[in-house]
Amino acid sequence: MRFLHYAAAVFVVLAATLLPVPRMASAEEPAITADAAILIETETGRVVWEKNAEERRFPASMTKMMTCILALENVSPRAEIFITPNAEQTEDTPLGILAGERLTADALLTGMMLCSDNGAAVAVAEHIDGGVTSFAKRMNEKAAELGMKDTHFANPNGLPNPMHYSTAHDMARLARYAMRNKAFRSIVGQQNAGIRWTFPKDKFLPVENTNKLLGHYDGITGIKTGWTNAAGGCLAASAERKGVSLIAIVMHAPTPNDRFDDARKMLDYGFRHVTMVRGITSSRTARKVWVKGGQEARTFVRPVEDINYPIIDGEDAKNYTIHCDVPSVIAAPAKDGEIVGKMTLLYKGEPVGTVNMAADKVLPGFSIGSFFVGLFEGVINRI
């Protein structure tokens, strides 16, 4: 019963926090040229606006977001990557990489993402898995892990292939995941960089990011362009303003410039219509749990970080709820900050954010209360 009272209290506080937020004036939806697009709020992944976002299309070089994040998760930034004849001979290699040359993973990934070198992506795939086919398998496994249900990768660079496709929504899922990685954000946020080879040692190339929004759009933070005749203009663009973080995905725009214009319109729309509200916080949602085998019979469990959530123009704040998944009884000892459960933010019943719940420190030992907790654990769990 105490848990039910607690849950009700938390919901009342949550509703009180959200309801006073002023509504923003409505505005026309963005008129874009691309055939498919989506705009999401980054922290929760909530869709702010979309157009044919579930239609399968060629993602072009937005594919390299997956190649880059997999490299960052599996290769040391200082590791040397050898350029093979296969990588050299890949279509469109603006870095001018040649077979036998070597670059650090950090340098090669920077060149791959900024000037969209297709051969660099092949070199990365070969370094990690020995070849493009094996690496594509890794890419598809990661896509499945991220919930990219309408995506299939056939190569690491996005060159046209009938079995290489995705959707705007899936690309947004990938971009959101990748932008949580500090090294990834650092790479894609650079407007210019210098690429230095480890062999030959005197080879150096200044490069400019193909993302023309960098330096020309307030708050822009990345991410990746894409273009082929089959895919048209593609762009994953991210931006932050006043605590609001957005990701826009554009697929199959008519021209290279149209993709940037479309992304601007979408981001502008999002910043007009989205505001963030403080949500799950440690102080507001801390709760007590029973302890067995400890010097104390109760301890606090609290979120390890805050979750802020978006209010989008015209919606009802009551669509937000929270669900706490924490055991009624934990066993001592428990280290300070030990993860014992999670709290989930839901919008219309669908999870849009999750934060781990950690216990305060509990020392092992004996107390009358803790003894009875262990004795009646089964009963407590059924309450």
Side-chain angles (χ1 to χ4, degrees):
M1 291 297 295
R2 290 183 178 179
F3 172 74
L4 294 176
H5 289 310
Y6 168 79
V10 169
F11 182 79
V12 169
V13 173
L14 175 63
T17 303
L18 294 174
L19 286 174
V21 178
R23 300 296 185 194
M24 291 169 287
S26 61
E28 292 183 2
E29 294 187 1
I32 66 170
T33 63
D35 290 331
I38 194 169
L39 178 70
I40 67 167
E41 188 278 316
T42 306
E43 189 159 344
T44 64
R46 278 202 56 204
V47 176
V48 179
W49 182 84
E50 61 183 312
K51 174 184 177 181
N52 302 325
E54 310 300 336
E55 289 186 0
R56 291 180 178 179
R57 296 187 177 275
F58 294 124
S61 284
M62 289 193 300
T63 299
K64 296 186 180 85
M65 292 190 294
M66 178 64 86
T67 302
C68 185
I69 193 62
L70 287 176
L72 291 172
E73 292 176 348
N74 291 280
V75 180
S76 166
R78 296 182 179 180
E80 277 195 322
I81 296 182
F82 288 76
I83 305 303
T84 66
N86 189 36
E88 176 191 344
Q89 294 162 15
T90 302
E91 177 186 349
D92 196 7
T93 54
L95 286 176
I97 52 177
L98 302 174
E101 295 181 337
R102 301 191 300 268
L103 299 89
T104 64
D106 180 62
L108 192 62
L109 291 175
T110 299
M112 179 186 77
M113 296 301 283
L114 267 64
C115 63
S116 207
D117 191 290
N118 292 328
V122 170
V124 169
E126 292 175 331
H127 180 82
I128 295 176
D129 284 314
V132 167
T133 301
S134 297
F135 187 74
K137 180 180 178 182
R138 182 188 294 270
M139 297 171 76
N140 289 320
E141 289 171 351
K142 190 69 173 182
E145 177 186 321
L146 298 180
M148 300 169 66
K149 297 179 180 179
D150 289 299
T151 295
H152 187 271
F153 295 112
N155 58 59
N157 45 38
L159 288 173
N161 184 307
M163 293 304 295
H164 193 97
Y165 55 81
S166 188
T167 67
H169 202 167
D170 276 359
M171 283 289 107
R173 293 181 175 102
L174 172 59
R176 179 178 174 235
Y177 173 80
M179 288 298 281
R180 295 174 184 169
N181 185 293
K182 183 178 180 180
F184 183 94
R185 292 197 309 272
S186 177
I187 290 173
V188 301
Q190 298 176 85
Q191 189 173 357
N192 301 279
I195 309 303
R196 189 175 299 279
W197 277 242
T198 58
F199 180 82
K201 291 186 178 296
D202 60 346
K203 190 170 182 179
F204 175 84
L205 182 70
V207 296
E208 183 179 357
N209 202 318
T210 56
N211 183 358
K212 302 305 179 184
L213 293 183
L214 286 166
H216 300 282
Y217 185 85
D218 182 25
I220 195 72
T221 56
I223 306 172
K224 187 70 193 77
T225 60
W227 172 270
T228 66
N229 289 334
C234 297
L235 178 65
S238 60
E240 297 177 1
R241 291 182 190 171
K242 298 180 180 179
V244 177
S245 179
L246 303 172
I247 291 175
I249 303 293
V250 173
M251 300 184 80
H252 205 264
T255 72
N257 286 333
D258 285 334
R259 58 187 169 174
F260 298 120
D261 292 338
D262 286 350
R264 283 190 187 94
K265 293 175 183 177
M266 292 165 64
L267 292 169
D268 285 346
Y269 175 86
F271 287 125
R272 287 196 303 268
H273 284 262
V274 179
T275 187
M276 299 301 290
V277 174
R278 290 193 68 190
I280 295 175
T281 63
S282 177
S283 59
R284 183 174 296 144
T285 54
R287 57 163 296 188
K288 280 189 172 182
V289 295
W290 297 102
V291 178
K292 64 179 181 179
Q295 295 180 15
E296 302 173 64
R298 304 295 297 273
T299 192
F300 277 102
V301 175
R302 62 188 84 237
V304 298
E305 61 184 358
D306 296 348
I307 290 185
N308 298 326
Y309 25 110
I311 295 295
I312 302 173
D313 187 37
E315 73 182 14
D316 191 336
K318 291 186 292 186
N319 289 327
Y320 279 109
T321 56
I322 59 172
H323 173 72
C324 188
D325 185 12
V326 174
S328 300
V329 178
I330 66 171
K335 298 178 181 178
D336 190 28
E338 181 175 333
I339 304 302
V340 296
K342 65 180 181 179
M343 184 171 285
T344 303
L345 171 70
L346 302 101
Y347 180 76
K348 292 186 176 180
E350 294 295 324
V352 293
T354 302
V355 60
N356 286 328
M357 299 285 285
D360 290 350
K361 184 177 181 180
V362 182
L363 296 174
F366 176 81
S367 69
I368 294 297
S370 186
F371 170 77
F372 279 106
V373 170
L375 190 63
F376 294 103
E377 180 178 0
V379 175
I380 295 172
N381 286 330
R382 290 194 294 270
I383 297 175

